[in-house]
Amino acid sequence: QGNIRVFCRVRPLLPEERERQRGLPHLHFPPQDARSLSQVGRERRAELRYDFSFDRVFPPGASQQEIFREIQLLVQVCASQNPQNPT
């Protein structure tokens, strides 16, 4: 109780987005830090950079299994504390 965890999942691009944007070059996922995400400026302001920190960042290639493994205990605790949950 009292703890808030913030996760970020960047979804994979849709096929039409992949063609239009040519990937996600403006997003950077540091390989050694699964808690950070950086966005660099696009178009006119390429020098801008924004750094974000989360409890965990899941890049577009993250599988459902990988994400569930990370939040599995949290989901089980929340489900068991819900008195209206029939399970």
Side-chain angles (χ1 to χ4, degrees):
Q1 281 227 2
N3 291 330
I4 296 174
R5 296 182 66 192
V6 180
F7 296 94
C8 173
R9 181 181 190 186
V10 178
R11 68 168 173 78
L13 292 173
L14 299 172
E16 58 270 12
E17 293 172 324
R18 210 172 295 132
E19 288 179 23
R20 187 175 62 239
Q21 296 179 3
R22 293 189 176 90
L24 295 169
H26 60 286
L27 295 179
H28 297 275
F29 305 91
Q32 70 282 5
D33 184 6
R35 300 171 72 116
S36 298
L37 168 67
S38 296
Q39 177 185 0
V40 293
R42 296 179 4 183
E43 300 167 8
R44 293 179 239 147
R45 304 288 309 264
E47 74 280 359
L48 291 178
R49 179 184 171 111
Y50 303 97
D51 296 314
F52 302 94
S53 293
F54 301 92
D55 288 299
R56 181 74 201 283
V57 173
F58 298 98
S63 68
Q64 291 289 83
Q65 291 81 10
E66 180 183 353
I67 294 167
F68 184 73
R69 274 193 306 270
E70 181 71 29
I71 66 167
Q72 180 177 352
L73 186 59
L74 177 65
V75 170
Q76 290 172 351
V77 168
C78 289
S80 68
Q81 291 180 355
N82 183 355
Q84 296 175 354
N85 187 355
T87 57

